[in-house]
Structure formats: C-alpha cells, structure tokens
Amino acid sequence: MIRACLFDLDGTLLPLDTDRFVEVYLRELAPYVAHVVPPERLIPSIWRATKAMIEDEDPEKTNEEVFQHHFLSSTGLEKESIWPLFERFYRERFPRLKKHAQPTDLAREVVQAALDRGCRVVVATNPVFPRVAIRERMRWAGVDDLPFEWVTYHEETRYCKPRIEYYRDIVDRIGLKPEECVMIGNDMQEDMVASTLGLSTYLVTDFRIDRGQPTYSVDQQGSLADLLRSIRNGEGVFSQTPVRSA
C-alpha cells in the first residue's frame, strides 16, 4: 500500500526549465556579490562546491556544511564576508525570479488530492538550495502552506539526488518502508533512481529530463494533469492508497 507521496519541486510541482532557471539565478546573483568576489571566480566556485556536495558520502555533514567548506576553500573568503550577502540576495532578489517559472493551480490540487486519499506528503527536492530559496519556490508553486511531513532543505539533509542514500534518509525520517512510498518527479536519473530502493515511481512528463543513462524503472508516467486524475481516481500506483475517512 502506498502511504506517502514524495514530490519533486522544480519541473514537477513548479513547472520550469531547470537549466534555464539556474542560468538566470547565477546571472542575478553574480553582480549582487561582485564587490566581494568577481563573477569569473564566483560561478566556477559555486559549481565546484555544488559538485562536491552532490558527490559527498559523509553522513555526519549536512549539505550546507559541505557546500560552505568547498566554496570558501575555493574562493579564499571568510564566511562572514559573503554569507550575509547570499542571505540578503535570497530575501530581496530571489523572489523576483518567479517570472521565470510557470506556476499552475494543478500543483496544489495534486498535493491536496494525495492528502485527501490519506497519503502523507513530502517535498523531495534536490537540497542544493538553502531553506529560504526552497520555501520561496514552494510559495510560487502554491503549496507552501500544505502539511508536508518533511522538506529536504539544504541545511537539514546529508545527501543529494541521485544518491540512493537521499531516498533512504527520507523513508527513514517518516518511518515507512520504501515500498510504501512513491517518488513523483520529472527527472529520469535523479528521481526515478528511487526505484532501486524499492519505491514506486511516477514520471511527470511536462518538463521531463532524461540524460539517456542510466535508466530506471518507471511504474507510471504522464502530465501533471494526468497525475491529478490518477491520484483522485486511485489509478495505477495510487490504486492501493489509504483513502481517508470522511
């Protein structure tokens, strides 16, 4: 029985072109901190630190700690000289990037439909952004006030997609077995890898990402609108869900 729905955010609940969004994000961030670190040093340092964070296997360090260590080592900066600027950017400028997303009412309807069927819900976004940026994008998607049991924030998680430990950590945190969960996302490699742990999978095709290899098991696929119908009607992977009593 499926007891929990794990929702990816970017490209799934929040329709957007992820690569394009990251490009715009970096272009907005660079001049904001240019008086401390020039763009030609900032952007490569961010990419190196992000790569290190994604590849990190240390269960004792959060993603935030790994990113900070590698970014500060790469730039030679002290945290006190740059982190307050990052925090200000996320408060003051990041919200303006909403115009590069394509929010839809379907996102809230999908999550609410899962709740109505008695499922527990999780935002299983790749935790490479800090909490403030993830909460902002949840607001864009219109789901920030819904009762998610867990959101994979940068500051509180210890693994990134596509590491299988990322999914194991979520399942353990909500106290369920992998086979009681379904991962819903748009990325073949980062989201559907959850199938190797035993989770069911639903591939959202509106902003599908597929790098070709590796390939993973997909139990069901369709648009966000198709996903909504499947959840409401109890179809496919959602046929075995604990329908909530009236």
Side-chain angles (χ1 to χ4, degrees):
M1 180 175 284
I2 297 298
R3 299 183 183 278
C5 294
L6 281 54
F7 292 99
D8 176 55
L9 184 56
D10 300 327
T12 302
L13 291 181
L14 180 63
L16 56 73
D17 181 324
T18 303
D19 290 342
R20 172 62 178 159
F21 182 79
V22 171
E23 177 186 330
V24 171
Y25 155 72
L26 291 173
R27 192 168 67 230
E28 289 288 325
L29 175 63
Y32 202 83
V33 299
H35 60 291
V36 174
V37 54
E40 61 270 20
R41 190 147 54 96
L42 172 78
I43 294 175
S45 295
I46 287 177
W47 283 120
R48 281 193 292 269
T50 301
K51 183 174 185 291
M53 179 173 57
I54 290 171
E55 294 176 350
D56 187 72
E57 301 178 4
D58 188 345
E60 301 302 317
K61 293 180 179 178
T62 65
N63 292 329
E64 179 186 42
E65 290 169 336
V66 175
F67 181 87
Q68 283 184 1
H69 170 75
H70 286 275
F71 178 82
L72 296 175
S73 296
S74 178
T75 59
L77 296 171
E78 296 294 326
K79 180 181 176 180
E80 294 73 18
S81 68
I82 187 70
W83 240 254
L85 291 174
F86 285 158
E87 292 166 357
R88 263 182 51 200
F89 170 80
Y90 284 120
R91 290 195 309 269
E92 298 177 359
R93 299 294 293 275
F94 191 81
R96 302 181 189 180
L97 300 185
K98 179 181 179 179
K99 64 185 178 183
H100 299 286
Q102 302 170 37
T104 170
D105 292 340
L106 285 173
R108 187 180 183 87
E109 292 178 45
V110 161
V111 178
Q112 188 60 58
L115 289 166
D116 290 344
R117 289 200 69 83
C119 287
R120 299 156 69 181
V121 293
V122 172
V123 172
T125 184
N126 208 3
V128 297
F129 280 98
R131 179 189 181 101
V132 61
I134 292 173
R135 294 300 305 183
E136 181 64 28
R137 298 202 311 286
M138 287 173 64
R139 276 191 286 275
W140 299 349
V143 299
D144 58 301
D145 62 329
L146 294 177
F148 292 101
E149 289 208 14
W150 177 244
V151 179
T152 53
Y153 298 123
H154 176 74
E155 296 89 341
E156 300 171 15
T157 53
R158 288 169 172 75
Y159 301 102
C160 292
K161 300 177 184 181
R163 299 195 67 84
I164 202 64
E165 295 92 342
Y166 167 84
Y167 294 99
R168 184 177 291 114
D169 189 40
I170 293 175
V171 170
D172 288 347
R173 283 178 183 269
I174 62 176
L176 293 178
K177 299 175 182 178
E179 57 268 26
E180 295 177 303
C181 305
V182 55
M183 179 61 203
I184 300 164
N186 68 309
D187 193 307
M188 171 60 77
Q189 284 70 42
E190 292 190 354
D191 298 322
M192 301 300 102
V193 66
S195 64
T196 64
L197 186 62
L199 284 79
S200 297
T201 54
Y202 190 107
L203 181 66
V204 178
T205 55
D206 303 76
F207 285 83
R208 175 176 176 158
I209 297 173
D210 188 351
R211 302 164 191 83
Q213 293 294 330
T215 59
Y216 298 104
S217 173
V218 176
D219 294 304
Q220 196 173 348
Q221 62 180 298
S223 66
L224 202 60
D226 294 331
L227 171 63
L228 177 59
R229 283 191 293 271
S230 291
I231 296 175
R232 281 179 171 169
N233 298 332
E235 299 169 348
V237 298
F238 307 100
S239 62
Q240 298 295 318
T241 51
V243 180
R244 180 172 292 164
S245 300

Short mmCIF file of all heavy atoms in Angstrom, two decimals, residues 166-187:
data_model
loop_
_atom_site.label_atom_id
_atom_site.label_comp_id
_atom_site.label_asym_id
_atom_site.label_seq_id
_atom_site.Cartn_x
_atom_site.Cartn_y
_atom_site.Cartn_z
N TYR A 166 19.92 9.48 -0.23
CA TYR A 166 18.98 10.60 -0.11
C TYR A 166 17.57 10.06 0.12
O TYR A 166 16.84 10.53 1.01
CB TYR A 166 19.04 11.45 -1.38
CG TYR A 166 17.91 12.45 -1.52
CD1 TYR A 166 17.96 13.69 -0.90
CD2 TYR A 166 16.79 12.14 -2.29
CE1 TYR A 166 16.93 14.60 -1.03
CE2 TYR A 166 15.75 13.05 -2.43
CZ TYR A 166 15.82 14.27 -1.81
OH TYR A 166 14.79 15.17 -1.94
N TYR A 167 17.18 9.08 -0.67
CA TYR A 167 15.84 8.50 -0.56
C TYR A 167 15.71 7.64 0.70
O TYR A 167 14.66 7.64 1.35
CB TYR A 167 15.51 7.70 -1.82
CG TYR A 167 15.39 8.58 -3.02
CD1 TYR A 167 16.44 8.74 -3.92
CD2 TYR A 167 14.23 9.33 -3.23
CE1 TYR A 167 16.34 9.59 -5.00
CE2 TYR A 167 14.12 10.19 -4.31
CZ TYR A 167 15.17 10.32 -5.20
OH TYR A 167 15.07 11.17 -6.25
N ARG A 168 16.76 6.93 1.03
CA ARG A 168 16.71 6.11 2.25
C ARG A 168 16.52 7.00 3.47
O ARG A 168 15.78 6.65 4.40
CB ARG A 168 17.99 5.28 2.38
CG ARG A 168 17.97 4.32 3.58
CD ARG A 168 19.21 3.45 3.63
NE ARG A 168 19.24 2.49 2.54
CZ ARG A 168 20.13 2.49 1.55
NH1 ARG A 168 21.08 3.42 1.51
NH2 ARG A 168 20.09 1.59 0.60
N ASP A 169 17.17 8.16 3.46
CA ASP A 169 17.05 9.09 4.58
C ASP A 169 15.62 9.59 4.73
O ASP A 169 15.09 9.68 5.84
CB ASP A 169 18.02 10.27 4.37
CG ASP A 169 18.13 11.16 5.61
OD1 ASP A 169 18.15 10.64 6.72
OD2 ASP A 169 18.20 12.39 5.43
N ILE A 170 14.97 9.91 3.61
CA ILE A 170 13.58 10.38 3.66
C ILE A 170 12.67 9.30 4.23
O ILE A 170 11.86 9.55 5.13
CB ILE A 170 13.08 10.80 2.26
CG1 ILE A 170 13.83 12.03 1.76
CG2 ILE A 170 11.58 11.08 2.29
CD1 ILE A 170 13.49 12.42 0.34
N VAL A 171 12.79 8.10 3.70
CA VAL A 171 11.95 6.99 4.14
C VAL A 171 12.13 6.73 5.63
O VAL A 171 11.17 6.52 6.37
CB VAL A 171 12.25 5.73 3.30
CG1 VAL A 171 11.57 4.51 3.89
CG2 VAL A 171 11.82 5.94 1.85
N ASP A 172 13.39 6.76 6.06
CA ASP A 172 13.66 6.53 7.48
C ASP A 172 13.07 7.64 8.35
O ASP A 172 12.53 7.38 9.43
CB ASP A 172 15.17 6.44 7.72
CG ASP A 172 15.78 5.16 7.19
OD1 ASP A 172 15.01 4.22 6.87
OD2 ASP A 172 17.03 5.09 7.08
N ARG A 173 13.17 8.88 7.88
CA ARG A 173 12.67 10.01 8.66
C ARG A 173 11.16 9.95 8.88
O ARG A 173 10.65 10.36 9.92
CB ARG A 173 13.04 11.34 7.99
CG ARG A 173 14.48 11.76 8.19
CD ARG A 173 14.75 13.05 7.43
NE ARG A 173 16.14 13.48 7.53
CZ ARG A 173 16.62 14.29 8.47
NH1 ARG A 173 15.81 14.75 9.41
NH2 ARG A 173 17.89 14.64 8.47
N ILE A 174 10.42 9.46 7.87
CA ILE A 174 8.96 9.41 8.01
C ILE A 174 8.49 8.05 8.51
O ILE A 174 7.28 7.83 8.66
CB ILE A 174 8.25 9.79 6.69
CG1 ILE A 174 8.59 8.79 5.57
CG2 ILE A 174 8.61 11.21 6.28
CD1 ILE A 174 7.83 9.09 4.26
N GLY A 175 9.44 7.15 8.77
CA GLY A 175 9.12 5.89 9.42
C GLY A 175 8.34 4.91 8.58
O GLY A 175 7.52 4.14 9.10
N LEU A 176 8.58 4.90 7.27
CA LEU A 176 7.90 3.97 6.39
C LEU A 176 8.91 3.07 5.67
O LEU A 176 10.11 3.30 5.71
CB LEU A 176 7.07 4.73 5.35
CG LEU A 176 5.87 5.52 5.88
CD1 LEU A 176 5.19 6.25 4.74
CD2 LEU A 176 4.88 4.62 6.59
N LYS A 177 8.38 2.05 5.01
CA LYS A 177 9.21 1.19 4.18
C LYS A 177 9.24 1.77 2.76
O LYS A 177 8.29 2.43 2.34
CB LYS A 177 8.63 -0.23 4.14
CG LYS A 177 8.55 -0.91 5.50
CD LYS A 177 7.85 -2.25 5.39
CE LYS A 177 7.71 -2.91 6.75
NZ LYS A 177 6.97 -4.20 6.67
N PRO A 178 10.32 1.53 2.00
CA PRO A 178 10.37 2.07 0.64
C PRO A 178 9.16 1.70 -0.21
O PRO A 178 8.65 2.55 -0.97
CB PRO A 178 11.66 1.44 0.08
CG PRO A 178 12.52 1.23 1.28
CD PRO A 178 11.56 0.83 2.37
N GLU A 179 8.69 0.47 -0.08
CA GLU A 179 7.56 0.02 -0.90
C GLU A 179 6.25 0.69 -0.52
O GLU A 179 5.24 0.53 -1.22
CB GLU A 179 7.42 -1.50 -0.83
CG GLU A 179 7.25 -2.06 0.56
CD GLU A 179 8.56 -2.45 1.22
OE1 GLU A 179 9.62 -1.87 0.86
OE2 GLU A 179 8.52 -3.35 2.09
N GLU A 180 6.24 1.47 0.56
CA GLU A 180 5.05 2.22 0.95
C GLU A 180 5.07 3.65 0.43
O GLU A 180 4.19 4.45 0.77
CB GLU A 180 4.93 2.24 2.48
CG GLU A 180 4.69 0.88 3.10
CD GLU A 180 4.65 0.93 4.62
OE1 GLU A 180 5.63 1.39 5.24
OE2 GLU A 180 3.62 0.50 5.19
N CYS A 181 6.06 3.96 -0.39
CA CYS A 181 6.24 5.33 -0.89
C CYS A 181 6.30 5.36 -2.40
O CYS A 181 6.74 4.40 -3.04
CB CYS A 181 7.53 5.94 -0.33
SG CYS A 181 7.66 5.91 1.47
N VAL A 182 5.87 6.48 -2.98
CA VAL A 182 6.02 6.70 -4.41
C VAL A 182 6.77 8.01 -4.63
O VAL A 182 6.46 9.02 -4.01
CB VAL A 182 4.66 6.73 -5.15
CG1 VAL A 182 3.71 7.75 -4.56
CG2 VAL A 182 4.86 6.99 -6.65
N MET A 183 7.81 7.96 -5.47
CA MET A 183 8.56 9.16 -5.84
C MET A 183 7.97 9.72 -7.12
O MET A 183 7.88 9.03 -8.14
CB MET A 183 10.05 8.84 -6.03
CG MET A 183 10.88 10.05 -6.46
SD MET A 183 10.81 11.38 -5.20
CE MET A 183 11.21 12.81 -6.21
N ILE A 184 7.58 10.99 -7.07
CA ILE A 184 6.94 11.67 -8.20
C ILE A 184 7.87 12.79 -8.66
O ILE A 184 8.13 13.74 -7.91
CB ILE A 184 5.57 12.24 -7.77
CG1 ILE A 184 4.66 11.11 -7.29
CG2 ILE A 184 4.93 13.02 -8.92
CD1 ILE A 184 3.45 11.59 -6.50
N GLY A 185 8.40 12.68 -9.86
CA GLY A 185 9.34 13.68 -10.34
C GLY A 185 9.46 13.68 -11.84
O GLY A 185 8.90 12.82 -12.52
N ASN A 186 10.22 14.64 -12.36
CA ASN A 186 10.34 14.81 -13.81
C ASN A 186 11.70 14.39 -14.35
O ASN A 186 11.94 14.49 -15.55
CB ASN A 186 10.11 16.28 -14.19
CG ASN A 186 11.21 17.19 -13.69
OD1 ASN A 186 11.57 17.15 -12.50
ND2 ASN A 186 11.77 18.01 -14.57
N ASP A 187 12.59 13.92 -13.47
CA ASP A 187 13.97 13.63 -13.88
C ASP A 187 14.23 12.12 -13.84
O ASP A 187 14.18 11.51 -12.77
CB ASP A 187 14.94 14.35 -12.94
CG ASP A 187 16.37 14.38 -13.46
OD1 ASP A 187 16.90 13.29 -13.77
OD2 ASP A 187 16.96 15.47 -13.53
#
